[in-house]
Amino acid sequence: MTDKLRGGPLLNKFHQGSNNKKRGEVTGDVLLDRGQWASKAEFLLAVAGQIIGLGNVWRFPYLCYKNGGGVFFVPYLLFLVLCGIPLFLLETSLGQYTSLGGVSAWRTICPLFGGLGYASQMMILHGCVYYIVILAWALFYLSYSFQAELPWSHCNNTWNTGACFLFDHHNHTVNSSALPENATSPVMEFWEREVLRLSDTLEELGPISWKLALCLAMVWLVCYFCVWKGVRSTGKVVYLTATFPYVMLFVLLVRGATLPGATQGIIFYLKPNHTRLADPQVWMDAGTQIFFSYGICLGSLTALGSYNKYNNNCYKDSFLLCLLNSGTSFLAGFAIFSVLGFMAEEQGVDISTVAESGPGLAFIAYPRAVAMMPLPQLWAVCFFLMIIMLGLDTQFVSLEALMTSVTDLYPHVIRRGHRRELLLLFICFVCFLIGLVMVTPGGLYVFQIYDHFSCSGASLLLLSIFQSLAIGWIYGAERFSSNIQDMTGHSPLLLFKLCWKYLTPAVCTATFVFSLVRWSPLRLGKGLVAPGWATMLGWLLTLSSVSLLPIWAVYALVVTPGTLQQRFRHLCSPATNSSLGLHHYSPAVPLSEKPKEPIIQDCMT
């Protein structure tokens, strides 16, 4: 794989002795095969599992309601066409063409921008630390869902306080003097006092919750065994993890549609408000939703695409997967808001008081609604199983992408014996240890800082800008289109070339500038505002990934021989096979070792 990818001293230095060896010429231990997807379905399900996650269920419906209902689709579709699909196709086809993970692919296609690969892997590493904590919370709720009476449906638990009060349609008109001081609901007390054991300030981290730590360890164990055999195990697991959430979503959708008040909830979800289009924040929300939900700039799409056959029609796949992603988000809105409408009618309140986003929807609003249904245990189990499955495949596919990138950097070191499994175990264990900070009483605040800064909109937007510049201007949009045509038999639409060169970087730059202008301190749980030192730590998390772009570029320029002009020219040229030379590019010759197959009429392999 990387054995034949040569680009001068800079790249040769990092291929760990692989330059003078062909794939079959190994000494000592047997060099394990890199692997490919056993079928096209495995690739499609793996990508679907990666990009279709919690954001589709708990973020998109709320943003749609908050930002003008059906009108929100105008900015959403605009960002989808100008940024989402072009960058999705770019990353997927880049991996398929080079047959390399995120780091090696960028160092091969445009060595000066190799920092894009390192930055994306650092963001994946940050994501692996905190994203899995959500699954630990969901597993905690799931374990309590088998009780005869759901513990968040009443105030008779050991963790409940005197302020606990059960609000429902029988007592929502009760005189305010009859309510306990600072009255809270049982579901809120279960979330804050039993699950999180939430402290009052960020400074009070407190001891580790052994129940949550056990849930976190169990989820990490499952992730490890999903990925430990590489694409061979990942490709099989996604058949369950990528399809099961759709079964649960359909079940919840049918159940929600039959509840009283469901129609009112759906009306609130889609009711158009054209005046919202004049609010810049609506456009910002649409842009960030696209970047978050499509897994762009995280290197995972490149890694997953690298296991495809060379002639796989990644062009058609990108359209289908993007349609599936956005369609799932739209469908999830009906399942969520039909239930929220039911809850609003049961409590006799306006739906705006129960509509929430993020963890508030998954662990407060929806559990409260489930407790009001007949057979609440059944629907609680269905809901939290869906949450776990949605997050699980996103987690372990991201982990697979990280392992792919590291393995492709050092194939002759890692692809021997059980070294890959041991390295994966080490990464999982270290991430688990770091994640223990987030299962302390102050862990929610740490989680929110990680979530806001480590894989933030600013980081994703910056990487998107430089990805577009690297392909559109340095490597060449026409050249890249020729690569895709050589693989699939289809030349991408002119719109894609325009996006890679002009539209995507322009839109991302404008959104990035707007996000800086409208920046405000992060608000944490219990209405706390992140203190200055926490904000500084957050920006350090952001810089830990973004800073790798200039660091790599400077390093590459320093170690590459020649004059400054020669160095730039060399580092802006693709590292092709040595027989081709650096400056005699042939678009019909793949950079990978995967054999080309005849392209049949429908261009599917």
Side-chain angles (χ1 to χ4, degrees), residues 64-260:
C64 200
Y65 152 74
K66 170 190 168 188
N67 293 313
V71 171
F72 182 68
F73 285 99
V74 175
Y76 178 83
L77 292 176
L78 186 65
F79 272 96
L80 175 62
V81 172
L82 298 183
C83 299
I85 299 177
L87 289 174
F88 191 95
L89 174 62
L90 185 156
E91 295 191 26
T92 306
S93 54
L94 175 65
Q96 182 172 312
Y97 184 68
T98 61
S99 193
L100 294 168
V103 176
S104 300
W106 281 109
R107 279 177 32 181
T108 299
I109 212 79
C110 187
L112 185 64
F113 284 80
L116 284 168
Y118 290 103
S120 65
Q121 300 313 303
M122 182 60 71
M123 292 176 67
I124 285 183
L125 203 55
H126 288 318
C128 285
V129 169
Y130 84 87
Y131 189 84
I132 199 169
V133 176
I134 303 171
L135 306 186
W137 294 338
L139 184 59
F140 191 97
Y141 269 84
L142 180 65
S143 66
Y144 276 76
S145 298
F146 296 96
Q147 297 187 12
E149 188 177 10
L150 293 179
W152 56 83
S153 65
H154 60 86
C155 295
N156 301 322
N157 303 289
T158 56
W159 58 82
N160 289 131
T161 66
C164 182
F165 188 79
L166 186 60
F167 298 89
D168 58 33
H169 66 290
H170 297 297
N171 59 22
H172 74 273
T173 58
V174 162
N175 190 293
S176 59
S177 62
L179 293 176
E181 186 178 357
N182 300 321
T184 60
S185 64
V187 69
M188 183 63 76
E189 290 205 344
F190 179 78
W191 169 241
E192 291 187 351
R193 296 181 58 82
E194 174 64 4
V195 181
L196 302 178
R197 307 198 175 186
L198 193 60
S199 63
D200 293 326
T201 65
L202 179 57
E203 288 81 2
E204 301 174 23
L205 281 182
I208 294 173
S209 167
W210 68 268
K211 291 182 181 179
L212 273 182
L214 182 60
C215 290
L216 185 64
M218 291 178 64
V219 178
W220 266 118
L221 194 64
V222 172
C223 282
Y224 174 78
F225 284 109
C226 287
V227 183
W228 75 314
K229 288 300 181 183
V231 70
R232 291 185 294 276
S233 58
T234 305
K236 301 300 181 290
V237 177
V238 291
Y239 279 102
L240 171 65
T241 59
T243 56
F244 184 80
Y246 280 98
V247 176
M248 291 295 98
L249 188 62
F250 179 74
V251 170
L252 293 173
L253 175 63
V254 172
R255 177 55 184 155
T258 60
L259 292 170

Side-chain angles (χ1 to χ4, degrees), residues 56-70:
N56 299 75
V57 173
W58 75 13
R59 192 167 186 267
F60 177 85
Y62 177 80
L63 288 180
C64 200
Y65 152 74
K66 170 190 168 188
N67 293 313

Side-chain angles (χ1 to χ4, degrees), residues 309-325:
K309 296 179 180 179
Y310 180 74
N311 292 116
N312 177 65
N313 195 339
C314 56
Y315 184 59
K316 182 178 180 180
D317 293 346
S318 296
F319 282 105
L320 292 176
L321 288 165
C322 289
L323 178 63
L324 178 65
N325 189 353

Side-chain angles (χ1 to χ4, degrees), residues 406-421:
V406 176
T407 304
D408 284 344
L409 277 175
Y410 308 102
H412 288 274
V413 175
I414 299 175
R415 276 165 44 193
R416 295 179 186 276
H418 298 288
R419 295 180 185 179
R420 186 189 187 278
E421 288 89 339

Side-chain angles (χ1 to χ4, degrees), residues 344-382:
E345 179 166 302
E346 283 291 293
Q347 293 183 332
V349 297
D350 190 85
I351 194 172
S352 60
T353 63
V354 299
E356 297 189 55
S357 178
L361 172 64
F363 301 112
I364 299 174
Y366 211 95
R368 182 189 297 156
V370 164
M372 299 176 182
M373 298 181 188
L375 297 175
Q377 293 84 357
L378 172 63
W379 304 114
V381 169
C382 288

